[in-house]
C-alpha cells in the first residue's frame, strides 16, 4: 500500500530584523553583507544561505520541549539553475518521540517491536526552495517553499522555526505566509475538484415568506459540484485574493450573505476553506500517486518545482506589483 503524499506550499521573504516597510526586504538574488566588528561577511545570494543552513544542520538537534529531532540529510543539497529561476532542494529528517508503542504486523497481528519513549520514528521529507530571477529592474524579494508531506506527517513548522533561528544570526527575519489563495482556488475549479460552495448568512431573510417560525439564526445556501459562470468565478477569486493580500475580509455591497465556504477534494481527502478564516489556511496539494509509486526522488522534486513555477504567475514579487 502506498501512503499518500502531498505538498505544503508557502511564500517567504527575508527582512532586516526589527524593521518595517518594504524597503528593508532583502532582494533574494543580490549579495548580502553583514558588517561584523572586524570584518564584513558576504553571502552571494539567498540560495547560498540555504546551502549554509543545510551544512549547519547536518547533525540531529533535539527539541526537548516539542520532543522532536531535526536534521538535514548529509549530501542531499541540490541546486538547479534555469533561465528564469533557481531552485534548491534538500531532505529534512525529523520525527517525534515521548510515546511508547508497539510495532505490530497488520497481517499476522504479531508485535514485532516495542518502541520506547526516547526512540524517534524519523522520516525523510523533501523540501524545495524556488527563487525567480530578477526581471529587468524588478528585484525579486519573495520566494516559494514547498514541503513534502507523508500521510499525516509534515515538517513545515519545525523547519521554518529552524530557518528563523538560522537567519536571525545574520540579522535577518525569515517570514512565511500562504501563496496565492486565488490561484489555488482557480486551479481547483479548472481541475473539477470543487465539491461544495456554501453561501452563509448569519441572520435569516427579512422577507416573511423566506422564514419558518423564527426571526433569527443562521442560513446556508449549498451548491454541490457547482459550475460557476465566468462573472461569478471572477467575483469569488477577487474576494479571496483581496482577503489574502490585505488581511481584510470584505464582501461587496448588495451581496446577501456574510461568509463563503468552499469544500474541495484532493485525492481521497476533503478540505474546507472559509473566507473569514483565510489567514489560517495552508495550501496543501496532492503529489500524484503515479509519481509516489515510482519512488523517484528526482521526479517528485521536479513536480514540486513545477508546482512552485505555476504559483509564480499570481504572486507579487517585488516593487512593481504582479507579474
Amino acid at each position: 500500500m502506498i501512503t499518500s503524499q502531498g505538498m505544503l506550499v508557502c511564500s517567504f521573504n527575508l527582512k532586516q530584523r526589527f524593521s518595517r516597510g518594504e524597503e528593508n526586504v532583502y532582494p533574494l538574488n543580490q549579495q548580502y553583507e553583514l558588517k561584523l566588528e572586524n570584518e564584513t561577511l558576504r553571502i552571494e545570494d539567498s540560495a547560498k544561505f540555504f546551502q549554509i543552513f543545510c551544512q549547519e544542520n547536518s547533525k540531529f538537534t533535539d527539541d526537548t520541549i516539542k520532543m522532536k529531532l531535526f536534521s538535514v540529510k548529509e549530501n542531499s543539497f541540490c541546486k538547479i539553475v534555469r533561465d528564469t529561476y533557481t531552485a534548491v532542494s534538500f531532505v529534512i529528517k525529523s520525527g517525534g518521540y515521548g510515546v511508547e508503542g508497539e510495532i505490530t504486523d497488520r497481517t499476522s497481528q504479531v508485535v514485532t517491536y516495542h518502541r520506547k519513549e526516547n526512540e524517534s520514528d524519523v522520516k525523510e521529507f523533501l523540501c524545495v526552495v524556488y527563487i525567480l530571477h530578477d526581471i529587468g529592474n524588478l528585484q525579486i524579494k519573495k520566494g516559494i517553499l514547498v514541503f513534502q508531506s507523508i500521510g499525516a506527517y509534515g515538517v513545515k513548522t519545525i523547519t521554518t522555526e529552524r530557518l528563523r533561528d538560522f537567519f536571525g544570526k545574520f540579522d535577518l527575519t525569515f517570514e512565511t505566509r500562504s501563496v496565492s489563495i486565488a490561484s489555488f482556488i482557480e486551479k481547483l475549479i479548472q481541475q473539477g475538484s470543487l465539491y461544495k460552495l456554501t453561501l452563509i448568512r448569519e441572520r435569516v431573510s427579512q422577507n416573511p415568506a423566506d422564514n419558518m417560525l423564527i426571526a433569527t439564526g443562521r442560513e446556508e445556501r449549498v451548491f454541490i459540484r457547482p459550475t460557476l459562470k465566468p462573472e461569478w468565478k471572477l467575483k469569488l477569486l477577487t474576494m479571496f485574493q483581496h482577503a489574502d493580500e490585505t488581511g481584510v475580509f470584505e464582501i461587496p455591497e448588495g451581496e446577501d450573505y456574510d461568509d463563503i465556504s468552499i469544500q474541495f477534494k484532493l485525492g481521497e481527502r476533503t478540505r474546507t476553506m472559509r473566507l473569514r478564516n483565510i489567514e489560517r489556511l495552508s495550501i496543501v496539494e496532492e503529489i500524484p500517486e503515479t509519481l509516489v509509486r515510482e519512488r523517484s526522488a528526482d521526479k517528485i522534486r521536479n513536480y514540486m518545482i513545477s508546482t512552485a513555477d505555476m504559483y509564480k504567475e499570481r504572486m507579487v514579487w517585488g516593487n512593481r506589483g504582479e507579474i
Side-chain angles (χ1 to χ4, degrees):
M1 182 175 66
I2 302 296
T3 302
S4 65
Q5 296 186 19
M7 302 171 292
L8 194 151
V9 189
C10 63
S11 65
F12 75 91
N13 63 49
L14 300 171
K15 184 181 293 187
Q16 183 180 342
R17 293 186 79 184
F18 312 115
S19 67
R20 297 181 179 179
E22 290 297 316
E23 67 275 6
N24 294 310
V25 177
Y26 165 57
L28 298 180
N29 294 298
Q30 303 300 307
Q31 178 176 271
Y32 176 78
E33 294 186 357
L34 177 64
K35 297 187 181 300
L36 306 174
E37 290 185 2
N38 300 319
E39 62 176 333
T40 298
L41 177 66
R42 292 181 174 86
I43 307 294
E44 59 190 70
D45 56 20
S46 57
K48 184 65 175 180
F49 271 121
F50 286 98
Q51 183 177 6
I52 298 172
F53 171 79
C54 293
Q55 294 168 348
E56 291 191 1
N57 287 274
S58 60
K59 304 299 182 183
F60 275 114
T61 55
D62 186 357
D63 187 333
T64 57
I65 296 177
K66 295 183 178 179
M67 293 186 288
K68 281 190 174 182
L69 296 178
F70 176 89
S71 74
V72 177
K73 187 176 182 178
E74 287 189 288
N75 302 317
S76 67
F77 180 85
C78 176
K79 182 177 180 180
I80 300 171
V81 180
R82 297 290 184 261
D83 291 341
T84 58
Y85 67 84
T86 293
V88 302
S89 70
F90 46 93
V91 175
I92 300 295
K93 299 177 65 176
S94 183
Y97 59 89
V99 179
E100 289 190 52
E102 294 180 339
I103 308 300
T104 304
D105 185 286
R106 73 179 182 90
T107 303
S108 65
Q109 299 186 9
V110 173
V111 176
T112 58
Y113 183 75
H114 181 83
R115 176 183 167 185
K116 302 178 181 65
E117 286 187 5
N118 64 340
E119 293 179 324
S120 178
D121 179 15
V122 173
K123 296 178 175 60
E124 295 186 354
F125 304 84
L126 187 63
C127 177
V128 166
V129 183
Y130 177 99
I131 303 163
L132 192 68
H133 293 166
D134 292 347
I135 304 173
N137 295 325
L138 175 65
Q139 292 184 322
I140 299 302
K141 297 183 177 181
K142 185 184 294 184
I144 298 176
L145 280 168
V146 187
F147 296 95
Q148 181 186 24
S149 61
I150 302 173
Y153 301 96
V155 288
K156 187 235 178 180
T157 299
I158 192 170
T159 305
T160 53
E161 287 175 352
R162 293 292 189 275
L163 284 167
R164 277 192 288 270
D165 292 340
F166 168 77
F167 281 107
K169 298 187 298 183
F170 296 93
D171 202 29
L172 289 169
T173 296
F174 177 80
E175 298 179 333
T176 63
R177 65 169 298 164
S178 294
V179 296
S180 172
I181 302 296
S183 178
F184 181 58
I185 296 174
E186 187 171 27
K187 184 177 180 181
L188 291 171
I189 295 173
Q190 291 172 349
Q191 293 177 338
S193 303
L194 182 59
Y195 174 69
K196 183 167 68 174
L197 174 67
T198 305
L199 305 180
I200 302 169
R201 190 162 53 191
E202 299 296 347
R203 77 281 183 212
V204 297
S205 171
Q206 297 302 310
N207 184 349
D210 294 336
N211 297 331
M212 294 180 62
L213 303 179
I214 59 174
T216 60
R218 174 189 175 99
E219 182 178 286
E220 297 182 355
R221 296 183 63 192
V222 179
F223 301 87
I224 304 297
R225 295 187 178 88
T227 300
L228 302 180
K229 293 181 178 180
E231 58 271 21
W232 221 101
K233 172 185 170 182
L234 178 60
K235 182 189 301 183
L236 182 69
L237 296 178
T238 301
M239 284 188 284
F240 275 88
Q241 186 76 15
H242 178 74
D244 180 36
E245 293 178 353
T246 67
V248 177
F249 164 82
E250 186 176 277
I251 289 180
E253 287 187 29
E255 303 294 348
D256 195 22
Y257 43 89
D258 301 295
D259 198 3
I260 300 173
S261 171
I262 296 177
Q263 190 176 98
F264 51 91
K265 291 189 175 181
L266 292 173
E268 296 182 355
R269 294 188 294 177
T270 301
R271 298 190 67 214
T272 302
M273 68 170 72
R274 285 184 58 182
L275 185 57
R276 284 187 179 273
N277 296 332
I278 197 171
E279 75 281 355
R280 303 176 191 173
L281 180 69
S282 295
I283 299 297
V284 181
E285 292 203 29
E286 292 283 324
I287 294 176
E289 186 176 319
T290 53
L291 288 181
V292 177
R293 288 185 179 278
E294 290 185 41
R295 301 182 186 275
S296 170
D298 289 341
K299 289 185 178 180
I300 291 178
R301 177 191 300 110
N302 291 338
Y303 186 79
M304 294 168 72
I305 292 173
S306 66
T307 298
D309 197 56
M310 182 276 296
Y311 275 113
K312 83 174 190 300
E313 300 299 333
R314 274 191 172 270
M315 287 182 61
V316 178
W317 293 97
N319 296 330
R320 256 182 23 198
E322 279 197 11
I323 59 172

